[in-house]
Amino acid sequence: MLTRSAARLLSTQTRAFSTSSARQTKVAVLGAGGGIGQPLSLLLKIDPLVSSLSLYDIRGAPGVAADVSHIDTESTVKGYTADQLDEALEGVKVVVIPAGVPRKPGMTRDDLFNTNASIVRDLATSVGRVAPEAHILVISNPVNSTVPIVARTLEKAGVFDPRRVFGVTTLDVVRAARFLGEVSGNDPKNTVVPVVGGHSGATIVPLLSQNAYGKAISGEAYAALVRRIQFGGDEVVKAKDGAGSATLSMAYAGAKFTNALLRGLNGEKGVITPTFVKNNVFADKGVDFFSSNVELGQNGVEKIYPIGPLSAEEEKLLEACLPDLKKNIEKGYAFVA
């Protein structure tokens, strides 16, 4: 009986990642030995659109690779050590970057930025040299700054394509659906809302008015829901008592966005999800990157959708978002100036 239950669970997990064709893709995870990288590697191993996984980290990646390689799916897995980054990137079509450190007690945002900015810049430099046509998915925080760092690094190398660089903001979308589902008593499948802006605090703008159940939330309940979506990460850090951050839910969100991109690359139509990309919607305000609904296709970003109608509350949230987002982007640019 236990065996049947386990089999059903694995089957359900595998079906959670949609497929659109037989074509598969080689994917690299840079930072595969970390708190996000390990469960992300596991989830990508069971994604049927992944043909080969290259797992890289400064330590631990070969062990992670050996572990997940035993999973009974078709994809192959290989782990690479600190001095094998170029080998890990050879022939890769999609690069997912969860590398870096989480924010820890006593660490300032500047501390986090300085550490992760250097890591992301160096990894982007290698991707630009070895796999210049790869699609780069940035998970490393602060995403509002690390994505501009990747873009500017690739620009300096002469290989930046704005259709191929993504900040993974999917966890904000996942949280919004889950939390709205909780307060409205509905299945999260029915409470999906677009989340626009950036990927930290007040730059996260959930457009609850664009969902029938979200539109019904008002007053203190609305304010509490928005705050929970914006600062959900703090909830996890507190619950883990300083021992970690949102690694498992972030790995799930990262795998979910990677699968969406792979479906688009394989030719599936109508794959639309928010992601933090080069976006002109607020370029006149000095905001070069912005998360909004994007259609993913064979070239990566195929179409960027307008953010749509906003409620009065959402207008205020957006007004608060833009100045902070601009500063975050400028900080990323300045790092590689």
Side-chain angles (χ1 to χ4, degrees):
M1 187 69 178
L2 179 60
T3 303
R4 289 198 197 98
S5 298
R8 282 197 299 270
L9 175 60
L10 180 58
S11 175
T12 301
Q13 288 174 327
T14 304
R15 285 197 305 270
F17 298 103
S18 302
T19 65
S20 58
S21 74
R23 188 155 63 90
Q24 297 173 311
T25 305
K26 186 173 184 180
V27 176
V29 179
L30 308 185
I36 296 171
Q38 290 196 40
L40 174 61
S41 299
L42 167 67
L43 292 170
L44 292 176
K45 180 66 176 78
I46 64 173
D47 187 327
L49 291 179
V50 176
S51 60
S52 174
L53 266 180
S54 291
L55 304 184
Y56 170 84
D57 211 326
I58 57 172
R59 64 181 66 89
V64 176
D67 198 352
V68 301
S69 72
H70 293 184
I71 293 169
D72 58 347
T73 56
E74 191 176 359
S75 55
T76 60
V77 185
K78 186 172 181 180
Y80 297 87
T81 56
D83 60 348
Q84 295 178 312
L85 178 54
D86 284 9
E87 293 174 51
L89 291 170
E90 288 177 4
V92 165
K93 183 140 189 190
V94 173
V95 178
V96 191
I97 306 181
V101 298
R103 191 178 177 197
K104 299 171 185 175
M107 179 183 282
T108 68
R109 292 192 181 277
D110 284 340
D111 293 335
L112 178 68
F113 173 85
N114 289 331
T115 300
N116 287 354
S118 298
I119 293 169
V120 170
R121 176 199 59 203
D122 294 346
L123 293 174
T125 298
S126 295
V127 176
R129 185 181 67 254
V130 181
E133 295 186 355
H135 300 263
I136 304 176
L137 284 55
V138 182
I139 291 174
S140 308
N141 275 318
V143 165
N144 294 355
S145 299
T146 53
V147 171
I149 286 171
V150 170
R152 189 54 56 86
T153 300
L154 296 176
E155 280 180 358
K156 285 190 166 187
V159 294
F160 175 57
D161 184 339
R163 300 173 300 174
R164 295 177 178 165
V165 176
F166 309 85
V168 179
T169 59
T170 309
L171 183 53
D172 302 325
V173 181
V174 167
R175 284 175 172 151
R178 176 62 188 168
F179 299 163
L180 175 57
E182 284 182 12
V183 299
S184 65
N186 286 282
D187 188 323
K189 292 177 183 175
N190 300 321
T191 55
V192 176
V193 298
V195 182
V196 304
H199 185 55
S200 67
T203 69
I204 298 169
V205 181
L207 303 185
L208 295 168
S209 70
Q210 295 185 18
N211 177 282
Y213 298 110
K215 199 171 187 177
I217 308 294
S218 61
E220 292 183 5
Y222 173 84
L225 178 57
V226 168
R227 180 164 181 82
R228 192 180 182 203
I229 294 168
Q230 290 181 326
F231 297 96
D234 293 351
E235 185 178 310
V236 178
V237 170
K238 183 178 180 181
K240 290 187 175 182
D241 197 21
S245 57
T247 53
L248 301 176
S249 53
M250 185 63 247
Y252 167 78
K256 186 171 185 175
F257 182 78
T258 303
N259 176 259
L261 177 61
L262 292 175
R263 284 157 48 208
L265 293 175
N266 280 352
E268 182 177 329
K269 303 298 182 185
V271 181
I272 300 170
T273 187
T275 177
F276 189 68
V277 297
K278 184 82 169 176
N279 190 326
N280 293 327
V281 64
F282 292 109
D284 61 332
K285 299 182 184 297
V287 176
D288 292 345
F289 290 84
F290 192 83
S291 184
S292 61
N293 271 337
V294 170
E295 183 167 355
L296 303 172
Q298 292 179 313
N299 297 306
V301 174
E302 295 290 349
K303 180 179 180 180
I304 297 173
Y305 286 83
I307 60 176
L310 304 180
S311 68
E313 293 88 350
E314 289 160 359
E315 291 278 9
K316 292 177 183 176
L317 291 173
L318 187 60
E319 187 177 340
C321 157
L322 293 176
D324 284 353
L325 188 52
K326 180 183 178 184
K327 290 176 186 175
N328 297 160
I329 293 168
E330 288 174 346
K331 188 170 185 178
Y333 280 154
F335 187 79
V336 288

